[in-house]
Amino acid sequence: MDKDITNEDLMARIAEGDEYAFQILVDRHQTSVLNLIYRFVGDRTQAKDLAQEVFIKVWQAAKSYKPEAKFTTWIYRITANLCFNELKSSRRKKWFQFVRPDADHETRTEEDLPDSSPSAEDLLLAKERTRQIADALQSLPENQRMALILKRYDDLSYGEIAQVLGCSIPAVESLLFRAKGTLQKKLKNFQK
Amino acid sequence: MKCRNVQKKFSAYQDRELKPREQEEVNSHLLICRSCREQYAEFEGLWETLGEMEEIHPDPWFYQQIVRKIKEPGEHRLFPSLQWVFRLLRAPVIASILLIIGLMAGSYLGSILGRSDLFPFQNNPLSDSQGTFFTSMRVFDPAPPGTLAEGYLRMVSYKEDDSR
């Protein structure tokens, strides 16, 4: 029954303080928001914190929400802005704390360290592949990375990506063209 | 359609974002051009490779954590409407503090260096050690003694004297 309720209706109910509606909305979008952030920042813990921030913003903005654009585009826009801001502030923090630029990478590598038992060899190889794909994604400039993630994993149209990023459709086309070109070079040896 | 033009459209073609006529043109070209077909296969291969990136799942208590954060606002949520003011003032405040520290350090150093016991030569004739000190300071001259620059300057001044 909950599946029949549209996101817009849920937002109207959330605006009136309906927590149950909020829970339905969170359940519906938590995985996509979490994974969008995870693929962008490349760190699980940070992704979970940021995903929670996104939903807090949704709760706070419910009263002013106007269903002008598709709900998913709206929530992805909040997510993308949060990701860009987080990246800026973490860069600033790193500068002030004199943290090495590859510290994040190290954290992720530690977290994703595979089981060292010999029977886990396949798992190890798969994880290594995943890590290198994630590294290649991380090497892309912010806008290219976000556009590519939205296209590849969320299958958004160019028009929707343009709305999320606040740019034109030709700009999205160009971002994706360049992102794919860069990744092709970086992951050439990976392709089966 | 030339290969180069077709290859520029691979990305949009793959994403089904070309106009129907363009989509058909690329399609027809791929049927007849082996080289482009191979390049496009690489594009598709990349898309497949990216699909290997793992998907993570939220914790079972994800929603509860959000609700807790909303109901128990942390320190950073104090005066949320004034957050932009704090953010705006942060940089000028840091710059002012650094400026004040710089001025204080400068005046302190100035008072130390200005003391007469550090510069006794201002009033008294030079001792041997003071003479050595000043000789060593001459390395900062535009033409320190014993360098080519000094030799050149001497040569120039000699000529000038000679011409008179």
Side-chain angles (χ1 to χ4, degrees), chain B residues 13-53:
Chain B
Y13 173 78
Q14 182 182 42
D15 298 334
R16 305 278 180 270
E17 290 278 352
L18 289 177
K19 287 172 191 160
R21 213 192 84 228
E22 286 178 310
Q23 197 86 11
E24 192 50 48
E25 279 173 357
V26 177
N27 223 356
S28 318
H29 183 88
L30 287 176
L31 284 172
I32 53 165
C33 179
R34 192 180 166 181
S35 158
C36 285
R37 213 162 43 234
E38 282 173 359
Q39 283 206 32
Y40 183 69
E42 283 180 17
F43 250 81
E44 290 287 358
L46 169 74
W47 225 226
E48 211 176 294
T49 306
L50 287 174
E52 289 177 38
M53 180 95 179

Side-chain angles (χ1 to χ4, degrees), chain A:
Chain A
M1 190 183 145
D2 291 341
K3 285 177 186 171
D4 300 333
I5 309 171
T6 64
N7 293 314
E8 287 74 15
D9 288 342
L10 286 173
M11 284 302 284
R13 282 170 56 177
I14 294 166
E16 290 163 9
D18 186 341
E19 286 189 23
Y20 181 61
F22 184 55
Q23 188 171 1
I24 297 170
L25 195 91
V26 172
D27 283 346
R28 204 177 272 184
H29 298 284
Q30 57 183 358
T31 309
S32 55
V33 167
L34 180 67
N35 278 289
L36 171 58
I37 301 171
Y38 171 60
R39 283 162 184 146
F40 187 82
V41 298
D43 180 82
R44 280 167 198 260
T45 317
Q46 204 181 4
K48 281 175 189 168
D49 287 344
L50 286 175
Q52 287 177 354
E53 282 291 319
V54 169
F55 287 105
I56 290 170
K57 281 192 187 297
V58 169
W59 173 266
Q60 289 168 342
K63 280 182 185 166
S64 59
Y65 172 73
K66 285 173 191 156
E68 287 161 352
K70 215 170 139 187
F71 177 79
T72 45
T73 312
W74 182 73
I75 198 169
Y76 281 149
R77 191 173 176 134
I78 293 176
T79 311
N81 286 339
L82 209 71
C83 285
F84 293 144
N85 289 341
E86 180 60 23
L87 221 64
K88 267 185 220 159
S89 70
S90 65
R91 246 185 245 138
R92 237 175 315 185
K93 275 180 210 161
K94 276 179 190 171
W95 191 82
F96 280 113
Q97 292 168 357
F98 298 100
V99 176
R100 284 169 296 159
D102 55 349
D104 266 359
H105 168 261
E106 280 174 14
T107 314
R108 187 177 62 249
T109 313
E110 273 170 27
E111 195 181 52
D112 290 345
L113 265 183
D115 186 358
S116 55
S117 65
S119 59
E121 197 179 330
D122 287 345
L123 187 70
L124 191 143
L125 284 171
K127 287 210 169 189
E128 178 57 22
R129 271 179 78 90
T130 309
R131 194 184 62 77
Q132 294 203 28
I133 295 167
D135 283 350
L137 264 179
Q138 295 300 308
S139 71
L140 292 175
E142 291 162 31
N143 271 355
Q144 286 184 30
R145 197 188 324 162
M146 186 55 82
L148 190 105
I149 294 168
L150 289 169
K151 185 69 223 172
R152 176 61 185 88
Y153 303 101
D154 298 288
D155 200 25
L156 261 61
S157 70
Y158 282 12
E160 288 168 331
I161 298 172
Q163 278 187 320
V164 172
L165 296 179
C167 61
S168 65
I169 293 176
V172 172
E173 194 175 337
S174 162
L175 286 173
L176 283 168
F177 180 80
R178 280 181 284 152
K180 287 178 189 182
T182 310
L183 286 182
Q184 214 166 16
K185 281 175 201 153
K186 295 206 172 195
L187 297 172
K188 197 157 194 174
N189 301 329
F190 268 77
Q191 292 176 27
K192 288 171 180 171

